Amino acid sequence: MEAELRFQELRHRMVEEQLVGRSIRDQRLLEVMHKIPRHQFIPSAYRHLAYEDGPLPIGEGQTISQPYMVALMTQLLQLQGDEKVLEIGTGSGYQAAILACLAKQVFTIERHAALAEQASRNLSRLGITNVSVITGDGSLGLPEEAPFDGIMLTAAAPRVPKPLFKQLAEGGRLVAPIGGVKGQYLNLWIRKGEKLEMDEVAPVAFVPLRGAFGWSVKDWEDI
Ligand code: SAM
């Protein structure tokens, strides 16, 4: 109980200093980041660092993203509450939990079965019921549930996987880190009819997207 109160205090400070103190202005998003207990998505060895300003290991060589990055990417989707969203790279399930509180329905795909199972447990523990966690290659998207109003890639891709553009609804927004091992750019695309408008948002550093439209181990290491 005392520990939970301490985490709550740290979470409040995280929101004020790392999010409000930077560029995060979406009030619904700030409330949700204030509410969702990030420490419950983190392995016990690192839990005391849950509200620090950085990514943390979650197993399988993967990470939960920095809180500011979660907030920035979510803010770019401009969710109002009635959207269908696809996330690629479930990891711990934390980003999916944030999306679930801001959209109607969330589908999230993770290639590591062990992470997908842990993420499902993390989400159910919090009583979140509008997220479907799928184990598989997210670079192919989820054609059977398309179109999506928002698509978010939480792993670095060489370019936006073609199937994902096809699965983006009219007016839909897609956020993705594009680039290689030396660094990537977070980009935003908005579908306007047959056109896709693109904006470069910020330099970032993510783990690689694998799968059919992702990086092979060799290419990621060689570039
Ligand atoms: N969003 C996560 C969270 O809230 O904890 C963090 C995601 S982590 C930075 C990137 C994740 O993408 C890893 O868990 C990795 O296994 C996953 N990933 C990489 N390539 C993938 C693919 N082709 N399909 C699905 N997941 C993939």
Side-chain angles (χ1 to χ4, degrees), residues 6-219:
R6 177 72 187 136
F7 279 131
Q8 205 175 315
E9 213 176 281
L10 291 172
R11 192 158 62 246
H12 179 73
R13 198 183 304 164
M14 178 267 283
V15 170
E16 291 307 314
E17 292 174 5
Q18 300 170 34
L19 310 186
V20 178
R22 293 186 177 130
S23 58
I24 307 304
R25 295 286 172 268
D26 179 335
Q27 283 309 313
R28 283 177 72 231
L29 169 60
L30 290 170
E31 276 165 32
V32 166
M33 298 275 302
H34 202 262
K35 184 179 85 174
I36 298 292
R38 186 173 190 260
H39 62 280
Q40 291 189 20
F41 291 80
I42 291 173
S44 52
Y46 300 101
R47 202 161 287 155
H48 60 293
L49 302 173
Y51 299 102
E52 297 288 308
D53 191 11
L56 288 169
I58 53 170
E60 308 289 342
Q62 306 302 323
T63 53
I64 178 173
S65 304
Q66 176 198 29
Y68 172 65
M69 198 46 58
V70 170
L72 178 64
M73 292 174 79
T74 308
Q75 183 165 264
L76 288 168
L77 291 185
Q78 294 192 353
L79 299 170
Q80 304 299 315
D82 55 357
E83 297 86 354
K84 192 172 182 181
V85 176
L86 174 66
E87 180 199 19
I88 291 128
T90 314
S92 66
Y94 176 68
Q95 171 73 75
I98 301 291
L99 293 169
C101 296
L102 296 166
K104 187 170 174 191
Q105 203 179 7
V106 178
F107 294 85
T108 179
I109 312 178
E110 171 56 54
R111 63 190 281 269
H112 289 287
L115 292 180
E117 282 158 24
Q118 183 59 50
S120 295
R121 282 194 290 274
N122 292 342
L123 291 160
S124 344
R125 199 185 322 109
L126 292 178
I128 294 173
T129 55
N130 59 339
V131 178
S132 306
V133 181
I134 295 139
T135 303
D137 178 6
S139 79
L140 302 169
L142 200 59
E144 62 274 29
E145 292 294 344
F148 298 98
D149 307 297
I151 299 182
M152 183 187 286
L153 261 92
T154 65
R159 60 197 71 80
V160 175
K162 269 206 184 111
L164 299 185
F165 275 145
K166 289 202 187 116
Q167 295 171 32
L168 191 62
E170 175 58 30
R173 300 166 80 89
L174 184 154
V175 182
I178 302 298
V181 68
K182 295 193 182 102
Q184 310 102 38
Y185 238 86
L186 183 65
N187 291 344
L188 166 72
W189 283 263
I190 305 174
R191 173 171 294 289
K192 296 205 168 146
E194 289 305 300
K195 286 199 185 139
L196 286 154
E197 280 183 3
M198 199 269 268
D199 246 346
E200 280 192 344
V201 180
V204 291
F206 276 80
V207 294
L209 180 80
R210 304 291 188 195
F213 290 86
W215 287 103
S216 69
V217 174
K218 184 174 181 311
D219 287 348

